[in-house]
Amino acid sequence: MVVFLVFLLILLPHATCKAHIVKCNVRDPHTPLHQYHQRGDLIIGGIASHSFIIISSSTAFTKEPPPALLEELNCEDDVEHSCDKLTYPSHTECNFHSSVVPKNYQHILALQFAVKQINENPQFLPNLTLGFRIYDSYFNAKWTYHATMLLMSALETFAPNYICVIKKNLIAVIGGLDSQTSLHVATLLDIYKVPQMAPKEVHQYEGILSLLLHFRWTWIGILTFNDESGERFVQAVVPLFSQSGICFAFIERSHKVTYATEMNDLFQKGAKIHDKINDSKANVVVVYGESYTVSFVRWLPYLSEREHMPSKPVSKVWIMTAQVELTSFVYQRTWDTEILHGVLSFTTHSNNSPGFHQFAESKNPASPKGDGFIMDFWQQAFSCVFPNQFVGNIEGDMCTGEEKLESLPGPFFEMSLTGHSYNIYNAVYAVAHALHAMSISRIKQRGMADRAGMKLQNHQLWQLHHFLRGVSFNNSAGDEVSFDQNGEIVAGFDVNNWIVFSNQSFHRVKVGRINPQAAPEQVFTISENAITWPNWFNQTQPNSVCTESCHPGSSKKVKEGKPFCCYDCIPCPERKISDQEDMDDCYECKAEKYPNKNQNICIPKDTSFLSYEEPLGFTLAAFALSFSLITALVLGIFIKHGDTPIVKANNQDLTYALLISLLLCFLCALLFIGRPEKVTCLLRQTAFSIIFSVAVSCVLAKTFTVVLAFMATRPGSSMRKWVGKRVASSIVLSCSLIQAIICTVWLVSSPPFPDVDMNSVAEEIVQECNVGSITMFYCVLGYMGFLAFVSFCVAFQARKLPDSFNEAKFITFSMLIFCSVWLSFVPTYLSTKGQYMVAVEIFSILASSVGLLGCIFAPKCYIILLRPELNNREQLLRRKY
């Protein structure tokens, strides 16, 4: 919990003991060892976290600790839990060790400094003075409760709920430094329905998350040093961080000790933690704890369960939460501080308050003036002893009181206000502003000001809480201090970078800020160049991931049984890309784009169609025109030699019709070349199918003519009446008409149309003619195949007829070629994509047409042109051509 500054306004059922009737002489049974009292009309209470009291016993280590520690732990082996009934350290026979956290003395000075400034300011509380009463919590629940009860009791008495002879007028309490101490204070005062306020921690959690995400640290460890609040921290951040893609290499918990007999357990636990942190691939560890937490972190280099193995440095980036300060116990004065170099620490936002440096310099233990903390602090901070003073087992020079606080290293004391002290300073001023606002309100109501603090107190002081919630002011450092509607302090956080040196000096560099009141994009700011990283990273930004990033072109595959941050990188499948690192899945490019070779970007597709400019289109067009010309020449030859027997022998009209249809077949191939347009798409398939049907029908008619002619030559045959041009013409017309009807239905129901195919070819947008109805397309092909198959069957049966009718042999061979071409066309057409589909269809048209032209007409042209002597009736009846 962040610097739990609890403003507590006393709301008690006061029972006043009048001096002339009852004399209250109940004495406090235990006089506190550490307390600080300054009189005033109105008193502010404070619970400090100044000293540890540890009941002594022997302590063992796996590795020899620094010599300074052995001087401090002068313990007896037979003392264990015999001091469980300890109520206060100054009244016990137990052997205890008192260890001061020197840096925390600044919190006491901050409260005193704020009270001093307010009392010296005539603008605040005229005719009234503020005083304070501070007790030490000793980081212990029992003593925290005791100190809280003392604050609620009359001065030097232990009588809660009573105000005896008006010796004390408590108006507010500033809670303990550490969250656990503050919770103990709040728990006790809640019984008396005392209103409380505390800062909101969620901003700090979100700030830590922003820091992790900024540096892409997704594999981290968590280390906590407080049982209850540490567990709450874990429960709060684990789901928050996990939702943003952060995993946890480990979550370790330590605890505070009171008895020296518990030190063995603590160090054994610490050894396991040390080894686990060292073995982890996580280079970032978030540390949640109290102000003394750093002291335990400094133990880690000396702890290990591996006694026979050299302990390597704990090379991590430590992220400290706002409770944690760079503090040292006395015995750690000479310890190595390298482990703390480069720490990133979150602290509540603070600024230098003018005058505090000089105020701290003026402190002198020679005239403590009620300060029961300064002597112990001075002796342990400067490692000296005052004459006739003995606290713990301190060996060193005699204290002169002239020692300079600024000479102390940063872990022991800082001359500028830390975040904790700054909050205390602001808390005192907030109470003063609330009292001032209450006084002004009363003046308006009564028309006159109260003249004494007693009158102010008698006016239901619980109303101060209402004014406290509405406080808003600029402090001496120029920062605005206010509370939100929930009574929570509106404050941000600073991100500080700790720079430590071998001589124990310490420098704090502000490298970032979390400002909840800023615009969303400016809530978290960080200056990377200002950060000094731990030495073992050679001033390069550390990386903390379970798995190195998957590069663009691949995606993550989570390892079974591992956190989602631990994964394998697999290449993107075909036609998919990933254009960022660590993508969960690859995705397809838009239809008009395709993946590059590395599958990390999408490239715009080129538009393609079979054009005359391309070699393939040009070649097919050249063949189509060449065969058209050849067909035209053959037709011319047959017309010129129309009177010769070889032309007349096989139905001259059918021959001309077949040649014309073949000519048109070659020319219709040109419809398939060029950019698809609406007209060409309508004509391509329909023209090709009808023309080819005419050609095949002519072949079928010629075959039937041959068969009928042979059958008619038999004596007494009734087939003579069927021999003639009418039968052939009927076959051609009827067969072609059926195909024309099919094409008409096709054009009416679902005609072909210009379209683009973005998927068939990965790198191209293919402009094509969509056939519309695929069913009708295959109906057209199927009918044409049927005609060809019938022609082949009839011609095959007539292949052995007498020589004069042996044209059936050539028809058989031509139809064999024709059927082979179109049977091969179907699978080939279906297996090709883009412009090659068009090329396959053109090739099939040309090949099948060439087959008909060559097999049927080439032998006849050979006789007409090269063997004219054979082109007579006698030779025709005798030779096989």
Side-chain angles (χ1 to χ4, degrees):
M1 193 172 288
V2 179
V3 187
F4 201 107
L5 298 180
V6 183
F7 296 100
L8 307 171
L9 307 184
I10 300 302
L11 177 57
L12 306 176
H14 298 297
T16 304
C17 298
K18 295 185 179 180
H20 64 279
I21 298 176
V22 179
K23 183 176 181 181
C24 296
N25 56 4
V26 181
R27 303 291 297 179
D28 178 9
H30 305 292
T31 303
L33 180 64
H34 296 112
Q35 61 176 315
Y36 193 177
H37 170 60
Q38 177 177 306
R39 294 185 178 275
D41 297 321
L42 302 174
I43 299 298
I44 295 178
I47 303 295
S49 298
H50 183 254
S51 306
F52 275 95
I53 301 298
I54 300 178
I55 309 304
S56 301
S57 70
S58 61
T59 303
F61 305 94
T62 59
K63 182 180 178 181
E64 182 180 359
L69 176 63
L70 299 179
E71 298 174 3
E72 293 302 319
L73 290 178
N74 182 17
C75 305
E76 298 180 7
D77 296 338
D78 59 346
V79 179
E80 293 189 0
H81 294 283
S82 59
C83 300
D84 285 344
K85 296 182 180 180
L86 178 67
T87 55
Y88 225 73
S90 60
H91 296 279
T92 179
E93 297 179 357
C94 295
N95 183 17
F96 66 88
H97 168 63
S98 172
S99 184
V100 170
V101 183
K103 196 164 190 173
N104 290 359
Y105 181 66
Q106 191 194 81
H107 308 152
I108 299 167
L109 294 184
L111 193 153
Q112 183 188 9
F113 178 60
V115 169
K116 178 177 180 292
Q117 283 188 326
I118 292 169
N119 288 336
E120 292 175 352
N121 189 341
Q123 303 299 323
F124 276 116
L125 307 177
N127 302 322
L128 290 174
T129 59
L130 288 182
F132 56 81
R133 189 79 173 177
I134 306 173
Y135 295 105
D136 196 352
S137 70
Y138 297 100
F139 298 90
N140 181 279
K142 185 185 333 182
W143 298 328
T144 300
Y145 290 138
H146 186 93
T148 306
M149 294 299 292
L150 288 175
L151 287 174
M152 293 189 297
S153 304
L155 184 61
E156 297 181 357
T157 66
F158 195 80
N161 300 346
Y162 283 83
I163 300 176
C164 296
V165 295
I166 317 303
K167 293 184 178 179
K168 183 193 267 187
N169 185 9
L170 184 69
I171 60 166
V173 175
I174 298 179
L177 163 67
D178 296 317
S179 59
Q180 202 64 30
T181 301
S182 294
L183 284 174
H184 294 324
V185 174
T187 299
L188 182 60
L189 293 178
D190 187 59
I191 298 173
Y192 297 96
K193 300 180 180 179
V194 178
Q196 304 161 25
M197 288 177 290
K200 183 182 293 186
E201 285 202 289
V202 66
H203 297 313
Q204 179 181 202
Y205 303 157
E206 292 172 349
I208 296 174
L209 175 60
S210 298
L211 179 69
L212 296 174
L213 295 178
H214 178 82
F215 290 113
R216 305 184 69 180
W217 293 331
T218 59
W219 187 239
I220 68 169
I222 290 182
L223 185 58
T224 67
F225 288 87
N226 189 305
D227 295 336
E228 295 182 18
S229 60
E231 193 59 36
R232 285 194 296 271
F233 172 79
V234 170
Q235 293 175 1
V237 301
V238 167
L240 177 65
F241 290 5
S242 297
Q243 291 171 6
S244 298
I246 292 174
C247 300
F248 305 93
F250 57 85
I251 299 177
E252 292 295 323
R253 301 164 175 86
S254 186
H255 63 278
K256 181 176 64 179
V257 300
T258 301
Y259 295 97
T261 51
E262 298 173 346
M263 294 296 288
N264 283 334
D265 294 337
L266 178 64
F267 289 128
Q268 289 176 4
K269 175 71 172 176
K272 294 179 180 178
I273 293 174
H274 169 272
D275 294 338
K276 193 163 189 176
I277 294 176
N278 250 3
D279 294 340
S280 173
K281 290 174 59 179
N283 286 326
V284 175
V285 182
V286 178
V287 180
Y288 179 92
E290 310 293 4
S291 57
Y292 56 83
T293 295
V294 168
S295 300
F296 181 85
V297 173
R298 296 180 69 185
W299 269 102
L300 291 180
Y302 305 101
L303 302 174
S304 179
E305 287 192 317
R306 304 162 186 171
E307 299 181 19
H308 303 292
M309 295 179 63
S311 179
K312 62 180 180 180
V314 184
S315 52
K316 307 297 178 184
V317 174
W318 303 95
I319 298 178
M320 305 290 184
T321 55
Q323 281 298 102
V324 182
E325 272 287 357
L326 178 51
T327 59
S328 287
F329 289 109
V330 176
Y331 63 79
Q332 294 177 314
R333 183 184 301 273
T334 60
W335 287 22
D336 185 18
T337 56
E338 182 181 9
I339 192 174
L340 301 177
H341 184 66
V343 163
L344 294 175
S345 170
F346 281 76
T347 61
T348 50
H349 175 66
S350 63
N351 260 324
N352 290 326
S353 180
F356 178 77
H357 188 283
Q358 293 76 10
F359 175 78
E361 283 183 331
S362 68
K363 296 300 292 183
N364 192 310
S367 54
K369 296 180 182 179
D371 187 348
F373 295 89
I374 191 169
M375 300 294 286
D376 212 356
F377 156 75
W378 206 273
Q379 289 183 124
Q380 296 202 31
F382 290 103
S383 189
C384 63
V385 180
F386 282 105
N388 303 323
Q389 292 287 333
F390 182 78
V391 179
N393 297 303
I394 299 176
E395 295 182 4
D397 299 330
M398 299 299 292
C399 296
T400 64
E402 300 300 323
E403 291 83 4
K404 300 297 183 182
L405 290 179
E406 60 259 32
S407 67
L408 291 173
F412 282 87
F413 195 82
E414 291 186 56
M415 298 301 290
S416 58
L417 288 175
T418 64
H420 301 316
S421 300
Y422 191 69
N423 276 350
I424 294 172
Y425 177 83
N426 288 333
V428 176
Y429 262 95
V431 172
H433 277 276
L435 288 170
H436 187 70
M438 178 183 286
S439 299
I440 295 175
S441 175
R442 188 162 305 154
I443 291 173
K444 293 179 180 179
Q445 291 177 6
R446 296 186 178 181
M448 59 179 295
D450 292 318
R451 296 183 179 180
M454 185 61 196
K455 292 182 180 180
L456 180 62
Q457 179 192 18
N458 288 341
H459 187 82
Q460 298 184 0
L461 201 55
W462 60 266
Q463 293 179 351
L464 181 63
H465 185 259
H466 167 73
F467 292 94
L468 186 60
R469 290 168 65 96
V471 161
S472 178
F473 63 93
N474 289 330
N475 62 17
S476 59
D479 288 331
E480 182 181 356
V481 179
S482 61
F483 301 91
D484 62 17
Q485 65 274 15
N486 298 319
E488 295 171 335
I489 299 174
V490 179
F493 293 87
D494 294 329
V495 183
N496 292 319
N497 189 206
W498 293 357
I499 313 299
V500 295
F501 303 95
S502 57
N503 63 354
Q504 299 290 315
S505 59
F506 162 65
H507 184 48
R508 190 195 310 266
V509 178
K510 189 178 295 186
V511 295
R513 176 79 193 276
I514 299 157
N515 185 5
Q517 296 177 295
E521 66 277 4
Q522 296 179 338
V523 169
F524 174 79
T525 56
I526 191 77
S527 176
E528 296 181 28
N529 296 331
I531 298 176
T532 299
W533 300 109
N535 293 329
W536 40 80
F537 292 112
N538 296 322
Q539 200 47 35
T540 59
Q541 179 188 318
N543 193 22
S544 188
V545 294
C546 181
T547 304
E548 291 298 326
S549 297
C550 291
H551 298 298
S554 62
S555 62
K556 299 189 299 184
K557 181 182 179 182
V558 177
K559 296 180 180 178
E560 187 175 355
K562 298 289 185 180
F564 61 85
C565 293
C566 303
Y567 46 81
D568 293 320
C569 297
I570 58 175
C572 289
E574 188 179 357
R575 298 192 178 184
K576 288 189 175 183
I577 73 157
S578 63
D579 55 1
Q580 298 178 10
E581 291 185 344
D582 292 334
M583 292 190 66
D584 293 326
D585 198 6
C586 302
Y587 64 92
E588 292 185 355
C589 294
K590 293 182 179 180
E592 65 273 11
K593 295 183 178 181
Y594 69 97
N596 65 338
K597 183 179 180 181
N598 295 327
Q599 292 182 276
N600 56 4
I601 59 173
C602 291
I603 301 174
K605 293 181 178 180
D606 293 329
T607 301
S608 87
F609 56 89
L610 188 62
S611 66
Y612 292 102
E613 289 78 12
E614 294 184 9
L616 180 60
F618 176 80
T619 301
L620 292 174
F623 275 114
L625 291 174
S626 299
F627 289 126
S628 299
L629 181 60
I630 293 173
T631 305
L633 290 175
V634 172
L635 178 61
I637 291 172
F638 270 65
I639 293 173
K640 182 178 179 181
H641 299 85
D643 295 332
T644 62
I646 198 169
V647 176
K648 294 180 177 181
N650 297 107
N651 196 327
Q652 190 173 7
D653 293 337
L654 284 178
T655 300
Y656 292 157
L658 178 58
L659 284 172
I660 293 172
S661 61
L662 288 177
L663 175 62
L664 294 176
C665 284
F666 287 122
L667 292 176
C668 80
L670 299 177
L671 293 173
F672 291 83
I673 303 175
R675 187 184 299 275
E677 302 291 347
K678 185 174 182 179
V679 174
T680 56
C681 287
L682 289 173
L683 292 177
R684 275 184 183 182
Q685 304 295 346
T686 54
F688 145 71
S689 58
I690 293 173
I691 293 171
F692 250 85
S693 296
V694 171
V696 176
S697 299
C698 290
V699 173
L700 179 62
K702 287 173 72 68
T703 308
F704 266 101
T705 300
V706 171
V707 173
L708 289 174
F710 172 76
M711 295 175 67
T713 59
R714 294 178 180 178
S717 175
S718 61
M719 301 301 295
R720 291 182 179 181
K721 62 182 179 179
W722 296 102
V723 176
K725 296 183 180 181
R726 288 185 300 172
V727 174
S729 300
S730 298
I731 292 174
V732 173
L733 290 175
S734 60
C735 292
S736 302
L737 182 62
I738 294 174
Q739 185 73 293
I741 293 173
I742 296 174
C743 291
T744 302
V745 173
W746 184 9
L747 292 176
V748 171
S749 61
S750 181
F753 59 91
D755 195 9
V756 290
D757 181 4
M758 296 188 175
N759 301 316
S760 297
V761 182
E763 301 178 4
E764 297 177 352
I765 298 176
V766 180
Q767 290 188 328
E768 62 179 8
C769 285
N770 192 308
V771 296
S773 173
I774 193 71
T775 302
M776 297 304 297
F777 174 68
Y778 284 110
C779 285
V780 165
L781 290 181
Y783 179 73
M784 189 174 65
F786 170 74
L787 290 180
F789 179 73
V790 172
S791 298
F792 171 75
C793 292
V794 174
F796 183 78
Q797 293 296 325
R799 71 189 186 282
K800 294 183 179 180
L801 293 177
D803 289 348
S804 58
F805 304 102
N806 69 354
E807 189 180 29
K809 294 180 179 179
F810 302 111
I811 292 175
T812 301
F813 190 63
S814 67
M815 295 316 297
L816 180 63
I817 295 175
F818 186 92
C819 291
S820 299
V821 169
W822 287 103
L823 284 176
S824 302
F825 163 78
V826 174
T828 307
Y829 182 81
L830 294 176
S831 62
T832 54
K833 304 295 181 182
Q835 61 182 0
Y836 295 103
M837 294 180 67
V838 180
V840 166
E841 190 166 1
I842 295 174
F843 176 81
S844 299
I845 293 172
L846 296 178
S848 58
S849 300
V850 169
L852 292 175
L853 180 65
C855 293
I856 295 175
F857 295 101
K860 296 179 181 181
C861 289
Y862 172 77
I863 291 175
I864 293 172
L865 298 177
L866 301 179
R867 301 293 300 274
E869 69 276 9
L870 300 178
N871 192 2
N872 58 70
R873 183 175 179 81
E874 293 77 10
Q875 291 294 330
L876 207 63
L877 292 173
R878 195 169 47 235
R879 293 188 60 84
K880 296 180 180 180
Y881 54 89

